[in-house]
Amino acid sequence: MKTEFSQLKEYMEHSKKTVAVTGAGISYLYGMRRLKQSVGRMNANRIFSTSYVRKNPEKFYEAMKDAFLDATFVKGPSAVHKQLAELEKQGKLYGIVTQNLDCLHTIAGSQNVIEFQGSFQDNVCIDCGIRCYDYQVWNQGHMPRCEKCGAPLMPTSFCRDSRAGADASRDSMRKAVNMISEATLVIVIGTTGFRSDEYLSRMKEGTKLVQINPSETEFDRIADLNIRADAVTVFDAVLNG
């Protein structure tokens, strides 16, 4: 294991631009619930629509609170989120691409974060279309509302039945792909590869791929280095070893 940690440190020392790709694993282990657990039999795709939120704003808020918001605002960032923020601060990490919606990377202090599924940081009024770039609107104990017209706010990328939602989703993934295409080292952490086909194909030749995950995933067959350990232990060794 020490040899693997040393290999990762060597990769990072020689990398001109290191990008971390994070998945649900670093959030679920810290108390985040799967969306399906929070909405029960309700189709998750159904509630991510302006039509549903217009009719059921408080039900939507309660589902988001149960699945994400309590863990975001009550528990806050995990040790892994903080370690990645510190690596960025030290210049060892260029940026983060994440599938997570919870804003925990930003709250931990990371500056260069691409949330390719969107998050609670980019919101839109479902009636007048005004955008609100502030995750704190979800930390008020009730469904956030537009200051102009009073209609519910909704994370822009969640609006799957609107033009704004489709545009936001495409833009987020485009930014993620662009960041990964510039990397010389990609470290995937706590993800089984959700939508990875959209960004892995854009990695340039010679870019190293490292996976940190206690479990086997689809990255096993293509990673230059697989580290079967929890990310906290790995990054503690990188930062302090």
Side-chain angles (χ1 to χ4, degrees):
M1 191 66 72
K2 288 184 178 180
T3 301
E4 293 175 349
F5 292 174
S6 298
Q7 183 67 71
L8 174 59
K9 290 182 69 174
E10 183 178 333
Y11 281 165
M12 294 184 73
E13 287 170 1
H14 289 88
S15 172
K16 294 181 179 179
K17 188 170 287 188
T18 299
V19 173
V21 178
T22 66
I26 68 169
S27 293
Y28 290 151
L29 294 176
Y30 194 61
M32 203 71 67
R33 285 165 59 82
R34 296 182 185 274
L35 183 61
K36 290 182 180 180
Q37 291 177 294
S38 300
V39 301
R41 295 183 180 181
M42 190 186 306
N43 189 314
N45 289 324
R46 178 188 168 200
I47 72 168
F48 285 155
S49 69
T50 57
S51 57
Y52 179 84
V53 171
R54 188 172 282 108
K55 295 177 182 178
N56 307 278
E58 294 307 321
K59 286 185 178 181
F60 178 83
Y61 173 76
E62 288 301 321
M64 297 302 100
K65 182 176 183 295
D66 187 62
F68 306 108
L69 302 177
D70 282 346
T72 293
F73 295 116
V74 177
K75 292 188 175 182
S78 69
V80 179
H81 294 100
K82 295 174 183 177
Q83 288 170 324
L84 292 173
E86 180 61 26
L87 286 168
E88 182 186 30
K89 183 179 178 181
Q90 293 184 10
K92 298 176 180 178
L93 184 67
Y94 173 72
I96 297 170
V97 169
T98 185
Q99 70 186 59
N100 299 337
L101 316 172
D102 48 43
C103 299
L104 287 173
H105 285 300
T106 298
I107 295 171
S110 293
Q111 300 294 312
N112 196 11
V113 182
I114 306 298
E115 298 155 324
F116 68 75
Q117 287 203 97
S119 75
F120 295 94
Q121 185 147 251
D122 178 7
N123 305 284
V124 64
C125 173
I126 63 174
D127 280 354
C128 72
I130 285 181
R131 299 285 276 272
C132 174
Y133 299 94
D134 183 7
Y135 61 81
Q136 288 291 351
V137 298
W138 293 94
N139 192 23
Q140 304 176 70
H142 56 78
M143 185 72 181
R145 299 256 172 192
C146 176
E147 291 184 355
K148 180 180 178 180
C149 71
L153 294 176
M154 191 175 177
T156 309
S157 292
F158 293 12
C159 305
R160 295 180 179 174
D161 60 343
S162 75
R163 174 68 180 273
D167 288 346
S169 295
R170 282 194 296 270
D171 187 54
S172 295
M173 180 53 80
R174 177 185 59 79
K175 291 177 180 178
V177 168
N178 287 343
M179 182 183 285
I180 290 172
S181 69
E182 296 173 354
T184 54
L185 172 63
V186 175
I187 307 173
V188 293
I189 311 156
T191 177
T192 57
F194 178 72
R195 296 182 69 178
S196 61
D197 56 320
E198 296 179 55
Y199 58 78
L200 285 183
S201 62
R202 295 293 300 275
M203 286 173 53
K204 61 187 178 183
E205 187 176 353
T207 296
K208 297 291 186 182
L209 179 65
V210 175
Q211 175 180 225
I212 301 172
N213 200 320
S215 303
E216 294 183 2
T217 76
E218 67 177 61
F219 292 110
D220 287 29
R221 58 186 175 78
I222 59 173
D224 295 280
L225 176 64
N226 282 299
I227 302 179
R228 293 279 184 250
D230 66 90
V232 175
T233 301
V234 175
F235 290 122
D236 181 64
V238 170
L239 286 164
N240 305 307

